[in-house]
Amino acid sequence: MSNNDIDPRHLETLDRDLGRLSTLEQATGYVSRPLIGLGAGLLFVVFAAIVAAVLFGGADHSLVVIIAAAFGAYMALNIGANDVANNMGPAVGANALTMGGAIIIAVVFESAGALIAGGDVVSTIAKGIIAPESMGTSGSFVTAMMAALLASALWVNLATWIGAPVSTTHSVVGGVMGAGITAAGFAAVSWGKMGAIAASWVISPLLGGVIAAAFLWFIKSNIIYREDKIASARRWVPVLVGIMGGAFATYLSVKGVKKIVKIDFSDALLIGLASAILIWLVMIPVIRKQSEGLENRNKSLKKLFGIPLIVSAALLSFAHGANDVANAVGPLAAIVQATETGDFTHAFGIPTWVMVIGALGISFGLFLFGPKLIKMVGNQITKLNPMRAYCVALSAAITVIVASWLGLPVSSTHIAVGGVFGVGFFREWDAARRMRAAKAVVGNPEIAPEERRRRKLVRRSHFMTIIAAWVITVPAAALLSAGIYMAINGVVGAGF
């Protein structure tokens, strides 16, 4: 039978069937992607448990260490999925980095920060939230740490699922507090420290937002709103990049390399100042060459901030890996020491194998589950471009420096997201101010309520969701931890 003899209706039927198969294949792929991530994450948790079993298989209480290693791996995955997005989100939202590029850079620098500069000695559990000696026995202490580890991981997992970037430090603090209260009563809690942490809920985002808005105001006033934008950029962009370089040099000196070398705050400031001057001088000819042939418009300016933004994202990831890996493995390291020696009241170090689990877990968590929160921070709160994202990254470094100088506990998550909010709300205010000025010229300064709503540049639904998640992180993790502590005691008792 020739092709001419084929019934056209048969061809239509074949096309429909092929279309259904194609749609089914796409749907299957869409459904299987999250399942692949979950499967890979489960394999990593099993891997961590196997490592602990190999190292402690013949020791007393080995089952406790194996379970704790699985909980620590689970927490590390969730830190990678939630916390790291705050470093990479602005750069991705500004199109300075692709999602793939951001993940690669974050994985490399988070791991490097954790393995090279992480693992500083932890003198007290969760920064002194609970007095360890109040636990009474090592069994109660180990149970509390296991409950805190699992509860904080579950809370961060839930927050990631609903699309809310939360502080993993606060999650661990809440977990330790809840288990500690259940084990030893309210008197065991350092309420002064808890008050300082509660204050950081407000201080961190406000300080990050104000600093980010201030730098965006400076960029708009001195570059964007100038008649000759390129000439202004040649003058001020080297200065801005120098400030960023100096800020990150100070930041890394204070927070990022404390395991390698101890640097006091005054020396860190001098290092930052010297770095700022050097980078400013180096960037003058670089920016002049980059700006050659650029058109005198805002779009051209984005090119000048791209590389500094990528570098800042990498440095933020390094510092984050150095500092926040302890959130995943600090309680695990405490459990290992308590089960090995029975000592749970003194300072302890983090073993290398524990640190490796934390570093790998953060990297896997980012790779498998991080894109959701990266998109949230970078694209869905407010629209970012390289200038705005630069302000967010710079505010993160400067806020940590200021907080260290003042002795204030702050959250890197709250600072970064606060910076995004600060940039968005400043743009709203600036747009409304310029509109009022324009309307005043034509004698009609009033702005209709509908127009005000239309010109809101920060998504209020995300704003309210994130603020609510921040407020309830500590109590939610505490309640989860208390419940888990009681469940463990009910099943096996505290006699590990």
Side-chain angles (χ1 to χ4, degrees), residues 23 25 27 58 65 74-75 89 118 136 163 240 313 336 352 357 451 464 473:
T23 302
E25 183 179 356
V65 177
Y74 176 46
M75 180 59 176
L240 291 168
V336 171
T352 300
I357 287 177
E451 190 171 356
M464 297 306 297
T473 286

Side-chain angles (χ1 to χ4, degrees), residues 8-201:
R9 289 175 297 179
H10 292 166
L11 291 176
E12 291 176 7
T13 302
L14 180 61
D15 288 340
R16 283 197 301 270
D17 291 341
L18 290 174
R20 291 191 189 100
L21 287 173
S22 177
T23 302
L24 180 62
E25 183 179 356
Q26 292 174 3
T28 303
Y30 180 80
V31 171
S32 65
R33 278 196 295 269
L35 294 179
I36 291 172
L38 290 173
L42 180 60
L43 286 175
F44 176 72
V45 171
V46 172
F47 165 76
I50 292 173
V51 170
V54 170
L55 294 173
F56 295 89
D60 293 336
H61 307 301
S62 59
L63 181 60
V64 176
V65 177
I66 292 169
I67 295 172
F71 288 173
Y74 176 46
M75 180 59 176
L77 288 171
N78 283 292
I79 290 175
N82 192 294
D83 227 19
V84 182
N86 307 308
N87 303 328
M88 289 296 157
V92 173
N95 295 319
L97 278 173
T98 63
M99 182 67 74
I103 290 174
I104 291 170
I105 289 174
V107 165
V108 170
F109 283 88
E110 286 279 342
S111 300
L115 296 174
I116 295 172
D120 193 31
V121 171
V122 181
S123 59
T124 53
I125 297 301
K127 304 179 182 177
I129 299 306
I130 293 287
E133 58 273 10
S134 66
M135 294 291 181
T137 66
S138 62
S140 294
F141 175 79
V142 168
T143 304
M145 290 302 101
M146 291 185 71
L149 198 53
L150 180 57
S152 55
L154 287 170
W155 171 249
V156 176
N157 195 340
L158 176 62
T160 304
W161 181 68
I162 66 174
V166 297
S167 170
T168 54
T169 302
H170 289 177
S171 300
V172 173
V173 165
V176 172
M177 184 184 76
I181 290 173
T182 308
F186 285 90
V189 179
S190 174
W191 292 108
K193 192 71 173 179
M194 287 304 304
I197 290 171
S200 78
W201 295 343

Side-chain angles (χ1 to χ4, degrees), residues 184-435:
F186 285 90
V189 179
S190 174
W191 292 108
K193 192 71 173 179
M194 287 304 304
I197 290 171
S200 78
W201 295 343
V202 179
I203 294 169
S204 298
L206 280 182
L207 202 54
V210 168
I211 292 174
F215 275 97
L216 184 58
W217 168 80
F218 182 88
I219 290 172
K220 283 179 175 287
S221 300
N222 292 280
I223 301 176
I224 294 175
Y225 294 154
R226 295 292 177 175
E227 185 174 346
D228 190 341
K229 304 176 192 297
I230 302 304
S232 298
R234 287 172 179 165
R235 181 184 308 114
W236 287 113
V237 171
V239 174
L240 291 168
V241 176
I243 292 172
M244 171 174 273
F248 273 102
T250 304
Y251 179 33
L252 292 174
S253 299
V254 171
K255 290 286 187 180
V257 294
K258 57 188 176 183
K259 181 183 177 184
I260 301 172
V261 59
K262 298 290 185 181
I263 301 173
D264 62 39
F265 192 76
S266 58
D267 290 339
L269 289 176
L270 290 175
I271 291 171
L273 177 62
S275 300
I277 294 172
L278 177 63
I279 293 170
W280 167 56
L281 294 173
V282 168
M283 291 303 296
I284 290 174
V286 172
I287 295 299
R288 185 180 296 117
K289 182 173 180 60
Q290 277 189 322
S291 62
E292 289 177 358
L294 293 181
E295 297 181 25
N296 187 36
R297 55 178 184 160
N298 292 343
K299 188 175 181 180
S300 300
L301 300 174
K302 298 177 182 179
K303 179 180 178 181
L304 305 179
F305 286 88
I307 294 177
L309 190 54
I310 294 171
V311 173
S312 71
L315 294 177
L316 281 172
S317 291
F318 182 89
H320 179 271
N323 286 281
D324 281 23
V325 68
N327 292 336
V329 298
L332 172 57
I335 291 169
V336 171
Q337 173 166 301
T339 53
E340 281 187 319
T341 67
D343 179 20
F344 59 94
T345 60
H346 295 93
F348 60 89
I350 298 180
T352 300
W353 72 272
V354 173
M355 186 61 64
V356 170
I357 287 177
L360 291 178
I362 289 175
S363 298
F364 280 129
L366 171 67
F367 178 75
L368 295 172
F369 310 110
K372 179 176 181 177
L373 265 295
I374 290 176
K375 291 175 183 175
M376 160 68 76
V377 174
N379 295 315
Q380 297 176 15
I381 296 174
T382 191
K383 184 173 177 57
L384 295 176
N385 62 23
M387 286 84 80
R388 298 166 198 156
Y390 159 88
C391 296
V392 173
L394 181 57
S395 76
I398 292 179
T399 302
V400 170
I401 294 167
V402 172
S404 297
W405 176 51
L406 297 175
L408 299 172
V410 292
S411 163
S412 59
T413 300
H414 291 193
I415 293 169
V417 178
V420 176
F421 285 141
V423 163
F425 284 124
F426 172 79
R427 290 177 61 225
E428 279 190 15
W429 173 83
D430 187 52
R433 177 184 64 86
R434 290 169 64 81
M435 179 179 288

